[in-house]
């Protein structure tokens, strides 16, 4: 038998995306290798969610290429998982929600059952296994989404603000699950608005602003001394939209010209 | 008023004595309509879901066509099926005219558009909510069809009931292709029409009341099941 093809690296080349006549992602170039946890930050509407969906293949880019090392569409999809800000649960029991994607992957029933049990107990959802998933609280659903992702043993896990609207305890539980999935060998790429969470989780930071990737740096350096002044302002909490007047946009254009 | 009291009396008399002829008519009615609904579900549910999920040229046209076909006049369907099944028609060799099978075929044609059109609407709305999540989990459009049909089951029950309602209430199509033959193709609606034309209002009203009760019972039972299950799943 030949070695299973690794999914990573993921390469984005000159990627842009447009909707409603607006350019929402602009000339994005970057590459993701296996290993370090990547956290994407940036103000509301910067295009973070869109960026994740482009990478995950849920929306096609208008221009440019997004390529995985494993170029087979089906097998590369099966090696990824994504947790949405508001996960959608099927109108079935908690455990059936984990079974479903395992079945799509053609995993045997015996293995499905053991994977599901393991995932549920990891997420602390064991006692809810027969509950209808839709009646769980938001936090429980988020944990279930993580448990589902864990059971899939993905090589890459995308997370879109996984702890927005969770209480501190649930946030902690979700962060531990993310850590467990990372330790299992998954590359984590996530977005968050919680900068202290970014510091806790990230190995590297991507700063996205108005559809552009303005900075990419190791977490330490990013928070100590971001090179980009918009990133600097954002980290200090000074990047306020009502101050983003013409001046800043002119600066931005100048910077783009310098490159 | 006298007529009405007499009719109710006649209806209950027939009911309580489990009148053979009545039971036969009621039984055949239920049999024809239920089989027609079952077949129409097997066709209409996946068809509606496919039109909701797949992007193909003429998709909008199909959706509009289905909506228009929901209002097909039963007599027209009856006429078409009659022509198709009559001895000189393309399917004449099967000798199905004036059999319950012919009535089932006509009713299937009548209610497939209803079930398919309502299904399309339900599944299209669900897909908006589920698409990213399902595709992320690894389901393509084909694989999403059974998933969404199952997840939309509470809303789809309404579509199936609408189909059943239409099947059990219509008279034009089954009259033409069934011929209202005693002991063979006589169902409640055609029997009512016949009794009225004969002037036997009592029996006609009695049958009408039974038809109404049956419809209420079926709808009520399904509604109760749906409510309980839905409350469980939110
Ligand atoms: N399908 C679409 N059609 C039109 N506009 C879209 C579409 N998807 C996203 N947008 C727009 O793209 C921009 C970026 O959206 P995105 O959801 O990626 O932002 P975000 O960085 O995730 O923001 P937040 O932090 O609020 O979640 C927004 O201005 C949004 O209105
Ligand atoms: Mg977002």
């Amino acid at each position: 038998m030949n070695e299973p093809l690794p999914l990573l690296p993921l390469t984005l080349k000159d990627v842009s995306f447009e909707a409603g006549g607006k350019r929402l992602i602009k000339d994005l170039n970057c590459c993701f290798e296996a290993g370090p946890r990547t956290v994407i930050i940036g103000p509301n509407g910067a295009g973070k969610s869109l960026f994740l969906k482009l990478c995950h293949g849920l929306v096609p880019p208008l221009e440019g290429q997004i390529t995985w090392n494993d170029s087979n569409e089906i097998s590369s999809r099966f090696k990824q998982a994504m947790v949405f800000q508001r996960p959608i649960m099927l109108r079935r029991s908690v455990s059936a929600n984990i079974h479903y994607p395992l079945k799509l992957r053609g995993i045997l029933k015996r293995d499905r059952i053991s994977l599901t049990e393991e995932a549920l107990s990891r997420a602390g959802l064991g006692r809810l296994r027969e509950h209808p998933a839709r009646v769980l609280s938001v936090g429980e659903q988020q944990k279930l989404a993580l448990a589902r992702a864990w059971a899939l043993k993905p090589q890459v896990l995308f997370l879109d603000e996984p702890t927005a609207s969770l209480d501190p305890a649930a946030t902690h539980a979700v962060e531990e699950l993310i850590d467990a999935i990372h330790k299992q060998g998954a590359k984590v790429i996530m977005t968050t608005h919680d900068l202290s969470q970014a510091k806790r989780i990230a190995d590297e930071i991507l700063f996205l602003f108005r559809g552009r990737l303005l900075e990419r740096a190791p977490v330490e350096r990013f928070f100590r001394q971001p090179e980009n002044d918009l990133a600097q302002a954002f980290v200090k909490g000074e990047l306020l939209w009502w101050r983003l007047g013409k001046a800043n946009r002119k600066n931005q254009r100048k910077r783009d010209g310098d490159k | 008023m006298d007529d009405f009291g007499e009719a109710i009396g006649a209806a209950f008399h027939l009911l309580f004595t489990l009148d053979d002829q009545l039971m036969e008519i009621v039984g055949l009615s239920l049999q024809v309509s239920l089989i027609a609904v079952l077949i129409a579900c097997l066709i209409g549910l996946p068809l509606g879901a496919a039109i909701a999920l797949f992007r193909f040229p003429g998709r909008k046209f199909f959706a509009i066509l289905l909506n228009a076909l929901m209002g097909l006049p039963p007599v027209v369907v009856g006429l078409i099926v009659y022509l198709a099944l009559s001895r000189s028609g393309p399917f004449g060799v099967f000798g199905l005219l004036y059999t319950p099978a012919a009535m089932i075929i006509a009713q299937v044609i009548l209610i497939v558009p209803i079930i398919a059109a309502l299904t399309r609407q339900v599944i299209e709305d669900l897909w908006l909510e589920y698409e990213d999540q399902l595709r992320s989990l690894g389901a393509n459009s084909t694989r999403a069809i059974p998933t969404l049909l199952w997840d939309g089951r509470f809303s789809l029950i309404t579509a199936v009931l609408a189909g059943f309602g239409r099947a059990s209430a219509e008279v034009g199509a089954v009259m033409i292709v069934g011929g209202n033959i005693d002991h063979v193709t006589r169902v409640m609606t055609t029997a009512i029409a016949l009794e009225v034309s004969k002037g036997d209002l009592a029996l006609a009203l009695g049958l009408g009341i039974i038809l109404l009760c049956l419809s209420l019972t079926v709808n009520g039972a399904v509604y109760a099941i749906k409510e309980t299950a839905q409350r469980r799943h939110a």
Side-chain angles (χ1 to χ4, degrees):
Chain A
M1 272 188 62
N2 36 7
E3 273 287 289
L5 197 58
L7 178 60
L8 288 163
L10 163 68
T11 316
L12 285 84
K13 192 167 176 301
D14 302 323
V15 170
S16 54
F17 181 81
E18 217 176 87
K22 267 179 63 188
R23 202 145 263 234
L24 302 170
I25 296 285
K26 296 160 195 157
D27 308 318
L28 231 142
N29 283 288
C30 62
C31 180
F32 295 100
E33 303 276 352
R37 287 158 295 187
T38 304
V39 172
I40 302 164
I41 60 175
N44 290 127
K48 304 181 296 295
S49 300
L50 210 49
F51 177 81
L52 291 186
K53 284 186 185 178
L54 279 162
C55 291
H56 192 35
L58 295 179
V59 289
L62 176 74
E63 287 164 10
Q65 286 93 43
I66 299 175
T67 41
W68 296 94
N69 180 47
D70 178 356
S71 57
N72 180 303
E73 205 180 310
I74 295 172
S75 81
S76 77
R77 165 54 51 78
F78 281 171
K79 291 173 188 168
Q80 307 169 39
M82 177 154 173
V83 172
F84 295 85
Q85 185 176 341
R86 184 79 186 83
I88 301 293
M89 290 302 154
L90 300 172
R91 285 191 178 79
R92 310 176 179 198
S93 69
V94 165
S95 60
N97 265 280
I98 301 182
H99 266 268
Y100 179 78
L102 293 173
K103 200 169 170 192
L104 290 179
R105 283 158 177 73
I107 291 171
L108 293 177
K109 184 156 189 198
R110 176 164 31 92
D111 300 333
R112 290 209 300 269
I113 292 174
S114 62
L115 276 170
T116 303
E117 276 311 308
E118 204 178 337
L120 285 176
S121 68
R122 265 204 182 249
L125 293 171
R127 77 200 156 78
L128 295 174
R129 72 170 66 73
E130 292 311 322
H131 274 236
R134 288 250 171 172
V135 302
L136 300 188
S137 76
V138 175
E140 287 166 336
Q141 288 197 29
Q142 198 63 269
K143 278 192 241 171
L144 175 54
L146 257 310
R148 181 161 67 183
W150 187 89
L152 297 178
K153 314 266 184 223
Q155 291 183 27
V156 175
L157 173 63
F158 296 102
L159 301 130
D160 195 1
E161 297 183 37
T163 59
S165 73
L166 296 194
D167 70 26
T171 300
H172 183 71
V174 163
E175 283 182 13
E176 281 194 331
L177 276 168
I178 295 172
D179 198 47
I181 297 175
H182 174 65
K183 290 224 171 76
Q184 199 178 261
K187 160 92 181 171
V188 170
I189 302 178
M190 67 176 268
T191 70
T192 184
H193 283 298
D194 179 347
L195 294 185
S196 53
Q197 177 176 61
K199 282 179 200 164
R200 282 194 298 276
I201 293 182
D203 295 309
E204 63 163 356
I205 301 280
L206 263 63
F207 179 68
L208 222 59
F209 184 81
R210 292 197 178 153
R212 283 179 205 278
L213 176 58
L214 293 188
E215 182 155 358
R216 179 178 190 171
V219 62
E220 188 117 332
R221 198 179 83 212
F222 183 88
F223 283 108
R224 196 164 18 92
Q225 193 54 49
E227 279 169 15
N228 186 284
D229 21 333
L230 285 165
Q232 207 161 8
F234 182 73
V235 169
K236 287 192 196 142
E238 287 169 357
L239 187 63
L240 304 171
W241 59 268
W242 56 86
R243 291 223 214 129
L244 282 173
K246 281 203 181 93
N248 251 325
R249 239 172 280 152
K250 227 177 266 161
N251 280 340
Q252 164 89 37
R253 225 169 283 139
K254 210 174 74 206
R255 260 193 308 276
D256 285 349
D258 292 347
K259 273 183 202 161
Chain B
M1 204 57 226
D2 247 15
D3 269 0
F4 192 66
E6 221 176 284
I8 290 182
F12 280 105
H13 180 74
L14 291 174
L15 251 185
F16 287 128
T17 54
L18 292 177
D19 180 82
D20 278 350
Q21 200 193 353
L22 179 84
M23 287 303 129
E24 196 183 339
I25 293 176
V26 171
L28 184 65
S29 294
L30 278 177
Q31 206 180 327
V32 167
S33 296
L34 287 177
I35 293 176
V37 168
L38 191 75
I39 296 174
C41 282
L42 291 178
I43 301 169
L45 291 174
L47 179 67
I51 294 173
L53 293 189
F54 291 118
R55 301 281 166 266
F56 55 91
R59 178 173 163 271
K60 279 243 167 63
F61 170 77
F62 260 100
I64 294 169
L65 183 71
L66 274 186
N67 281 337
L69 290 180
M70 285 214 285
L72 266 183
V75 281
V76 173
V77 171
L79 182 62
I80 292 168
V81 174
Y82 177 89
L83 291 174
L85 296 184
S86 68
R87 202 160 310 148
S88 53
F91 303 104
V93 286
F94 299 113
L96 290 177
L97 201 59
Y98 304 132
T99 66
M103 295 153 71
I104 292 172
I105 292 170
Q107 291 201 339
V108 167
I109 294 173
L110 268 178
I111 58 183
V112 160
I114 296 180
I115 294 180
L118 296 176
T119 300
R120 181 194 63 80
Q121 194 57 59
V122 168
I123 298 298
E124 218 167 81
D125 293 347
L126 268 188
W127 189 230
L128 276 183
E129 185 190 350
Y130 283 55
E131 179 173 6
D132 280 350
Q133 182 72 72
L134 286 186
R135 284 177 51 208
S136 167
L137 293 177
N140 54 22
S141 301
T142 313
R143 194 58 191 69
I145 288 180
T147 308
L148 292 176
L149 286 176
W150 181 245
D151 256 56
R153 57 196 180 275
F154 303 122
S155 317
L156 291 174
I157 282 176
T158 312
V160 176
L161 276 184
F164 178 76
R166 173 119 160 139
S168 56
E170 75 85 24
V171 51
V174 287
M175 184 71 101
I176 296 178
V177 302
N180 193 25
I181 302 167
D182 207 1
H183 303 305
V184 184
T185 57
R186 180 160 300 167
V187 290
M188 282 190 278
T189 52
T190 55
I192 291 172
L194 178 72
E195 298 307 332
V196 171
S197 68
K198 284 197 323 202
D200 190 350
L201 290 182
L203 186 56
L205 263 171
L207 278 163
I209 290 167
I210 293 172
L211 187 55
L212 217 66
C213 290
L214 270 176
S215 169
L216 273 177
T217 313
V218 170
N219 276 276
V222 172
Y223 183 80
I225 295 169
K226 175 185 155 175
E227 280 298 292
T228 333
Q230 197 166 21
R231 214 170 305 123
R232 205 178 109 73
H233 277 275

